[in-house]
């Protein structure tokens, strides 16, 4: 089991003691996309989302179940090609590959071909995601910059700034307004 996890996971150590753990599509049992459209890198935007439902997950098996349920809903109910987000991030501290760095997503109309869409699994209307989940989002963005997938001058926005929605929740939106690349008027 341990060996399987190692082969399906990208572990990246960035400074400090916490490692960024990106679970690839095979690692969470993603379905095959119906089609893909390449996205040019580096992208100039990062869009922050919450899942609202499914709710927060704190174990890897629960976060995998959340990724699968979002993918099923996006493909079978919305009729999309795949899960809409570029990445999910769970309360287990793992990042989960959705469409990834270089495939156009379906998460923020007008921004899908020039952004990485990151979904913090859970409903963050009134509660703040736990530190490990927020930390993983920061590490994932930094890794994307280091890998030249995200422009170092990227602008970070909440979904509600570009679409009429409550996403990413009032409390999380308040939090991201304090992040260095946050842009009030995208
Ligand atoms: C994204 O899509 C829009 C609308 O089709 C297009 O005008 C724009 O050039 C595209 N941007 C990139 C980076 O592909
Ligand atoms: C915003 O960031 C500053 C500087 O990092 C920090 O001191 C402050 O506590 C933060 N405020 C909130 C509301 O998170
Ligand atoms: Zn959203």
């Amino acid at each position: 089991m341990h060996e399987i996890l190692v082969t399906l996971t990208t572990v990246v150590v960035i400074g400090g003691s916490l490692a960024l753990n990106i679970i690839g599509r095979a690692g969470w049992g993603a379905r095959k996309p119906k089609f893909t459209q390449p996205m040019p890198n580096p992208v100039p935007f990062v869009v922050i989302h919450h899942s609202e439902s499914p709710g927060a997950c704190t174990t890897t098996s629960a976060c995998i179940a959340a990724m699968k349920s979002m993918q099923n809903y996006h493909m079978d109910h919305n009729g999309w090609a795949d899960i809409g987000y570029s990445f999910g991030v769970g309360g287990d501290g793992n990042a989960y590959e959705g469409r990834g760095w270089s495939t156009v997503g379906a998460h923020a109309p007008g921004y899908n071909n020039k952004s990485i869409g990151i979904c913090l699994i859970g409903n963050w209307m009134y509660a703040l995601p736990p530190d490990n989940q927020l930390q993983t989002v920061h590490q994932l963005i930094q890794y994307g910059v280091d890998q030249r997938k995200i422009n170092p001058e990227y602008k970070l926005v909440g979904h509600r700034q570009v679409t009429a929605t409550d996403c990413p929740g009032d409390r999380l939106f308040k939090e991201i307004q304090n992040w260095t690349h946050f842009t009030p008027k995208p």
Side-chain angles (χ1 to χ4, degrees), residues 33-47:
K34 292 180 205 164
F35 62 87
T36 60
Q37 187 187 339
M39 178 168 70
N41 298 109
V43 295
F45 289 95
V46 172
V47 182

Side-chain angles (χ1 to χ4, degrees), residues 131-159:
D131 278 349
N132 65 334
Q133 194 170 4
L134 295 172
Q135 196 56 44
T136 298
V137 174
H138 291 302
Q139 289 181 319
L140 181 66
I141 294 171
Q142 186 56 51
Y143 180 67
V145 170
D146 293 344
Q147 297 294 309
R148 298 188 161 75
K149 305 297 187 189
I150 299 174
N151 190 308
E153 311 292 325
Y154 73 90
K155 294 174 161 46
L156 182 135
V157 299
H159 187 191

